[in-house]
Amino acid sequence: MTRAEAKERNRRALLDAAFQVISRDGYRARLDEIAERADLTTGAVYSLFGSKNGLVVALVADYQRPYYVEIEQAVPAELDLLEAVDAFARYYRRSCDAPDARSVLSLQITLLDMALHDPDLGVQLAGSIRSQENHLIALFTGRSHKGSVVTSHQAQRLTTALRALFVGLGQGVTLGLAPGADEQYFADTARALASDMSLIDPVHGRGEAGQG
């Protein structure tokens, strides 16, 4: 095994161990237990991630990366904005039925709790999530909508609104609190949001896309 391969193996082992321990213990997660589960020392954590917070931020990025790749595959480039939003909504709803949906929700809630207890970590996590969301902004930017083209600014506002919508609905589905929220419901709600609210320009009172 080369040095690079050993480094990647150790990195993967620490991320997997961190997922298990942090999902269970949240901000109380101990670095020494994470390292022990990975058959490494805490020195390996500092060497690879710089700190416990660095490990947590890397864990979030690692968790989000395949999610955004799958979204790009689920939302073809030739769709207009509302069709793209529809496809994204349906993908998100299907993810709520995945075998690991409850584990994913548990991790999300745990990370929020950690961010509240550690403001510095909260800032780092917010930066990581914004970086990942740039994939969604790029996904919606340039799509046609009512005879115009969606700008990056409009796509950013839409992404923020859709994320808030789907996080809330997704939690309701996973916890059994959103009866009847099937794929069509997700798609209809997302289309309504994209059509009527999220593309409004806060400066000029209406968006460049969807005027008239």
Side-chain angles (χ1 to χ4, degrees):
M1 183 178 295
T2 66
R3 180 176 298 181
E5 289 171 338
K7 181 178 180 180
E8 180 56 30
R9 180 199 62 185
N10 293 343
R11 182 179 179 278
R12 182 74 263 159
L14 285 168
L15 288 171
D16 291 343
F19 180 87
Q20 297 172 11
V21 177
I22 290 173
S23 295
R24 185 194 68 200
D25 297 340
Y27 71 93
R28 297 184 182 86
R30 294 182 6 249
L31 205 57
D32 58 345
E33 181 179 356
I34 293 173
E36 183 179 352
R37 279 177 175 261
D39 290 325
L40 296 166
T41 66
T42 54
V45 176
Y46 292 105
S47 174
L48 291 168
F49 301 101
S51 63
K52 177 181 176 181
N53 282 359
L55 173 60
V56 174
V57 171
L59 174 63
V60 172
D62 184 70
Y63 155 70
Q64 293 280 2
R65 190 174 296 110
Y67 164 74
Y68 286 106
V69 171
E70 290 174 3
I71 289 175
E72 291 176 357
Q73 296 172 345
V75 185
E78 65 271 15
L79 302 182
D80 66 21
L81 178 67
L82 293 187
E83 291 171 335
V85 167
D86 187 294
F88 175 44
R90 292 177 185 279
Y91 165 82
Y92 199 102
R93 176 60 182 84
R94 289 193 297 271
S95 72
C96 297
D97 294 328
D100 64 344
R102 284 187 170 269
S103 297
V104 169
L105 176 58
S106 176
L107 178 62
Q108 291 173 347
I109 294 172
T110 297
L111 291 170
L112 286 174
D113 185 48
M114 294 179 73
L116 289 173
H117 282 86
D118 187 338
D120 289 338
L121 175 59
V123 171
Q124 294 179 58
L125 287 175
S128 175
I129 292 172
R130 281 194 297 270
S131 176
Q132 294 293 323
E133 285 186 348
N134 286 336
H135 291 287
L136 286 180
I137 294 172
L139 189 70
F140 294 128
T141 299
R143 293 185 186 269
S144 62
H145 182 60
K146 295 184 179 179
S148 190
V149 174
V150 178
T151 67
S152 176
H153 173 69
Q154 292 168 334
Q156 181 179 24
R157 288 173 60 78
L158 174 60
T159 295
T160 299
L162 287 175
R163 182 173 183 276
L165 172 67
F166 290 149
V167 166
L169 283 176
Q171 290 177 357
V173 169
T174 303
L175 296 174
L177 302 176
D182 56 10
E183 275 192 35
Q184 191 61 51
Y185 182 87
F186 269 58
D188 290 344
T189 305
R191 276 177 171 267
L193 183 66
S195 297
D196 301 331
M197 186 190 80
S198 61
L199 297 184
I200 293 176
D201 189 318
V203 176
H204 299 100
R206 59 180 179 174
E208 296 174 33
Q211 292 186 13

